[in-house]
Amino acid sequence: MRQIIALGGGGFSMEPDNPLLDLYILNQSSKITPNICFLPTASGDSDNYISRFYDFFEQQNCKPSHLSLFKPHTRDFESFLLEQDIIYVGGGNTKNLLTLWKEWGVDTILKKAWEQGIVLAGISAGSICWFEEGITDSFGDKLEPLKCLGFLQGSNCPHYDGESNRRPSYREQVAKGEIKPGIATDDGVALHYIDHALSSVVSSRINAKAYKVYFDKTLNEIELKTNFLGASESGEYNRN
């Protein structure tokens, strides 16, 4: 089973006091104590970002690690990444992330990881990277389409409610055919894909949603059913 969990916003980096999405990611592994590796490439391997990852995941029932492309601790990226149960990609500059991954061969390794059943997850840049296209501010002055890895069909727009220009920019570009139709996610929402199909939409915020956005004579934005993870009184989350 191939799984990708794409966070529009939230997780340890945006909601340090709200663990719902990160616990959900951990629960998708079949392992009791999964190996989880953080890829902070999009942030330039920010030390602060890496520290925040460990601050959270060292307190959980897992074995956290990270892979830096700026200060690599091994030459054998493939063996290291394929030993993981979960690979978690951080946010930042998606263009730089994709360029560096291609140069180091990480994109090919991640495709192997996905095909072998390693859970892939990520937030913001780490969300849109899995799709055919994403809307990004990687170029600095405006939001525009970017070709991505293409593991998942269509396009993706994170931070749909968190940044004022995201929603109008994505809607306009879909309507004009400048970017493929796809799914937009509010902060606090995660899309859970099994193989190529969207299996579920979950959230750490009670009013956060995801939307299918496409153009058919007119621009359509359809709200998707979203499961608020905080509704579970037991604290346990279903494995998909």
Side-chain angles (χ1 to χ4, degrees):
M1 180 172 65
R2 297 173 295 180
Q3 299 186 77
I4 292 177
I5 304 168
L7 282 64
F12 71 91
S13 62
M14 290 183 65
E15 298 180 318
D17 298 321
N18 185 349
L20 292 173
L21 289 178
D22 291 327
L23 293 177
Y24 180 85
I25 290 170
L26 287 175
N27 279 329
Q28 304 319 307
S29 172
S30 61
K31 301 291 183 63
I32 296 175
T33 308
N35 296 320
I36 180 168
C37 177
F38 183 46
L39 294 185
T41 317
S43 67
D45 290 344
S46 162
D47 288 338
N48 177 268
Y49 205 0
I50 294 168
S51 294
R52 283 184 285 158
F53 168 78
Y54 283 108
D55 285 345
F56 177 78
F57 284 99
E58 284 183 340
Q59 305 302 315
Q60 311 307 318
N61 193 27
C62 64
K63 298 176 182 177
S65 63
H66 76 280
L67 177 62
S68 168
L69 300 188
F70 290 84
K71 299 177 181 178
H73 69 277
T74 177
R75 288 178 176 265
D76 191 353
F77 291 174
E78 181 165 339
S79 293
F80 177 72
L81 288 174
L82 295 184
E83 290 173 351
Q84 305 303 318
D85 302 301
I86 303 169
I87 297 174
Y88 195 141
V89 180
N93 189 301
T94 316
K95 175 66 173 177
N96 289 344
L97 173 147
L98 293 168
T99 299
L100 286 168
W101 279 1
K102 183 175 182 180
E103 181 67 24
W104 288 87
V106 174
D107 54 346
T108 302
I109 298 169
L110 289 173
K111 184 71 175 295
K112 290 182 181 179
W114 181 54
E115 291 171 344
Q116 291 181 20
I118 295 171
V119 177
L120 303 181
I123 178 174
S124 192
S127 173
I128 71 176
C129 68
W130 312 117
F131 292 79
E132 290 179 293
E133 296 179 346
I135 187 168
T136 181
D137 57 3
S138 294
F139 301 95
D141 57 347
K142 62 180 181 179
L143 290 163
E144 51 195 296
L146 179 68
K147 298 290 185 184
C148 299
L149 295 176
F151 296 2
L152 302 174
Q153 294 181 341
S155 67
N156 180 235
C157 176
H159 308 305
Y160 208 47
D161 68 337
E163 299 177 6
S164 61
N165 57 341
R166 287 276 176 174
R167 193 172 203 151
S169 296
Y170 188 55
R171 288 168 57 94
E172 179 182 1
Q173 290 176 34
V174 170
K176 291 181 176 179
E178 296 173 351
I179 192 170
K180 292 178 181 292
I183 298 182
T185 45
D186 289 343
D187 288 341
V189 171
L191 308 171
H192 188 170
Y193 284 82
I194 295 180
D195 294 326
H196 292 96
L198 181 60
S199 172
S200 59
V201 181
V202 299
S203 74
S204 61
R205 304 179 186 183
I206 194 166
N207 294 317
K209 302 294 181 182
Y211 305 86
K212 181 179 180 181
V213 183
Y214 65 98
F215 185 82
D216 182 9
K217 298 182 180 179
T218 185
L219 193 283
N220 295 273
E221 182 181 282
I222 310 299
E223 183 179 308
L224 301 177
K225 181 181 178 182
T226 302
N227 176 34
F228 174 53
L229 294 172
S232 173
E233 294 181 359
S234 68
E236 294 294 330
Y237 308 108
N238 294 328
R239 298 177 188 269
N240 288 294

